[in-house]
Amino acid sequence: MLFFDENKAPLTKEEINLLPAINYEGEIVLVRSDEELALAVKELKKNPLLGFDTETRPKFTKGAMNLPSLIQLASEKKVYLIQLKHITETDELATLLSDEHIIKAGVAIHDDYRSLARLFPVSPNGLVDLAKLANRKGIKAQGLRTISANLLGYKVSKGAQCSNWASDTLSHSQIQYAATDAWLGLLLYCQLIQLQDSPGYLAEQINRPRKKRKFRFFSKKKFEQESIEESLN
């Protein structure tokens, strides 16, 4: 059962803070080598839908620009955390991320792809911005935290958001935070689709003819889920 009621006003920041927290409790796979990445991509390619997010080391100097350090991809059963500093072969990863037949769902996902294009060539195919999808149903929210709160009735902890994502080894709190964000991309997509007035909405958005393009290339616990909705009942 969804928490969202389109007849109610959006939750305030104070109301969101009072909500129970939501965390991913399934299997998490850390990818820290080219060999591990090859195995991860092989499994991920079997999925028609993936939750997506990236993490970047915070900027503490004005004008500084950091590149993504982590890519998170969530399937129904696992979340894969790809530490890019340990990866040298990105061709298969780029192919996966550019596959127009695999939906990648996340908040501000086009911005993430532009940042990734500074590391390796990637095409923005099959992307769904959850903020835009939520707005179409009257959920006036832009961030993952506000969308989750208004749609599901749970808050997302942001405690690890400004941590050092470029660290050689991720902490437990970083791993939990990163996995939860990607998993929520998958979960929120499925819940939002249920709210759409037109069942064919996403198919029209994903499959409509459009000019092919690439972003500019600069350089170089087991989780068995019978249904995503039941996980919050």
Side-chain angles (χ1 to χ4, degrees), residues 72-229:
Q72 304 106 274
L73 290 166
S75 68
E76 247 186 71
K77 295 183 178 181
K78 299 178 184 179
V79 175
Y80 295 83
L81 306 183
I82 304 169
Q83 285 190 268
L84 294 173
K85 70 181 302 177
H86 300 296
I87 304 301
T88 61
E89 298 294 334
T90 58
D91 289 352
E92 290 301 315
L93 176 60
T95 299
L96 170 71
L97 295 177
S98 302
D99 192 332
E100 63 183 353
H101 301 295
I102 299 177
I103 295 174
K104 281 77 65 177
V107 173
I109 191 169
H110 289 86
D111 293 338
D112 286 336
Y113 264 60
R114 290 186 184 95
S115 295
L116 284 176
R118 297 175 181 271
L119 292 172
F120 53 83
V122 61
S123 299
N125 300 323
L127 308 189
V128 177
D129 189 329
L130 294 172
K132 293 181 179 179
L133 191 56
N135 285 336
R136 286 181 61 94
K137 191 56 186 178
I139 302 177
K140 303 303 180 182
Q142 294 299 313
L144 190 70
R145 180 180 172 87
T146 52
I147 297 173
S148 298
N150 284 281
L151 182 64
L152 307 174
Y154 288 87
K155 67 180 177 183
V156 180
S157 173
K158 291 296 181 181
Q161 184 176 30
C162 292
S163 58
N164 181 12
W165 294 102
S167 176
D168 184 69
T169 303
L170 298 179
S171 67
H172 174 77
S173 61
Q174 285 179 310
I175 291 171
Q176 185 66 62
Y177 171 88
T180 297
D181 274 10
W183 169 67
L184 279 172
L186 180 72
L187 177 60
L188 291 173
Y189 171 89
C190 292
Q191 300 287 26
L192 285 166
I193 288 302
Q194 294 180 31
L195 294 177
Q196 291 305 312
D197 295 327
S198 171
Y201 163 69
L202 243 294
E204 294 168 4
Q205 296 299 310
I206 295 299
N207 298 324
R208 71 181 187 276
R210 64 183 184 277
K211 182 180 179 181
K212 297 287 186 180
R213 67 185 179 90
K214 285 190 176 183
F215 288 125
R216 182 182 174 192
F217 173 52
F218 286 82
S219 66
K220 219 175 140 95
K221 32 177 187 186
K222 184 109 173 166
F223 184 52
E224 292 295 344
Q225 185 180 25
E226 293 185 2
S227 76
I228 291 178
E229 181 177 0

Side-chain angles (χ1 to χ4, degrees), residues 24-42:
Y24 176 68
E25 298 179 352
E27 184 176 352
I28 300 172
V29 180
L30 290 175
V31 178
R32 293 166 50 88
S33 71
D34 291 336
E35 292 75 19
E36 291 173 349
L37 179 62
L39 293 175
V41 168
K42 182 179 179 180

